[in-house]
Amino acid sequence: MTQLALASPSFAGLASVDDVRIRPYGAHDEQRLLRMSQRLSRRSLYHRFFAGTPHLPDNYVRSLRTLDHWDREAIVAVLDGELIGTAEYVRDAARPCEADLAVLVADSWQRHGLARILVACLGDLALRRRITAFRADLLLENREALAALRTMWPTARPTWDGTSARFHLPLTPS
């Protein structure tokens, strides 16, 4: 993948998304991922992992070591050599045209469109790998993610499960 070419303003002294590079997660990214963990609030971690945790779970970090970049893919947003976001999918073995989607963005970069960019890039990869839909589970209290999802998939309707919602998100070529 190459440097993004997106027009956007800077945010509160931060670089703009124009300065962010999107690329596949690599074996050399584990230490960057662990450093990104220090820039995530407990709230962000709870919204991503549905459990209270002070840092990225060890089993999650280990799982990224076994990406095959086909059935299991992760991409990262990099700025100045540091990770500021990740998006990943895991293909459903029983329904290979579907994959579970998860996104995590450093707190200072939330609400600036980075998650949408990551999902769009990951969606393009998924389509090339014959995945035609994502599934996403979101906590109902995660209003920002729900709003972002509705922006990208305005007609998506969830199934409810207590405090969370599961969305079926069809992918369309861009």
Side-chain angles (χ1 to χ4, degrees):
M1 290 185 187
T2 59
Q3 182 78 20
L4 288 175
L6 301 170
S8 68
S10 295
F11 297 101
L14 293 174
S16 77
V17 293
D18 292 339
D19 301 317
V20 175
R21 183 171 173 239
I22 306 294
R23 62 166 173 75
Y25 181 90
H28 56 282
D29 285 324
E30 188 169 314
Q31 290 304 310
R32 289 181 183 102
L33 182 68
L34 294 172
R35 287 192 300 272
M36 184 178 120
S37 181
Q38 299 166 7
R39 295 186 304 277
L40 297 166
S41 65
R42 285 183 183 251
R43 180 177 185 261
S44 293
L45 290 163
Y46 179 72
H47 285 166
R48 167 59 181 87
F49 296 102
F50 289 35
T53 179
H55 52 78
L56 291 170
D58 293 337
N59 63 337
Y60 170 72
V61 175
R62 280 192 307 274
S63 75
L64 292 175
R65 294 176 191 158
T66 61
L67 294 172
D68 65 6
H69 300 287
W70 185 264
D71 292 328
R72 188 148 190 272
E73 179 65 276
I75 61 173
V76 294
V78 182
L79 178 67
D80 296 331
E82 293 298 323
L83 299 189
I84 59 171
T86 67
E88 64 186 291
Y89 73 70
V90 177
R91 189 187 304 261
D92 184 331
R95 300 186 75 173
C97 63
E98 294 185 5
D100 288 316
L101 169 69
V103 179
L104 186 60
V105 173
D107 285 30
S108 62
W109 278 89
Q110 292 176 11
R111 292 174 295 287
H112 298 304
L114 185 57
R116 283 185 219 129
I117 293 167
L118 284 164
V119 170
C121 291
L122 191 64
D124 287 345
L125 280 174
L127 279 168
R128 290 194 303 245
R129 295 168 184 166
R130 296 184 215 107
I131 294 171
T132 59
F134 284 146
R135 290 187 310 245
D137 294 322
L138 294 174
L139 291 170
L140 298 179
E141 70 181 55
N142 192 349
R143 288 177 172 61
E144 296 89 354
L146 288 166
L149 187 142
R150 288 196 173 110
T151 299
M152 295 183 75
W153 285 277
T155 61
R157 297 294 173 252
T159 56
W160 306 98
D161 183 19
T163 60
S164 66
R166 172 167 277 198
F167 288 86
H168 181 266
L169 309 168
L171 297 173
T172 56
S174 50

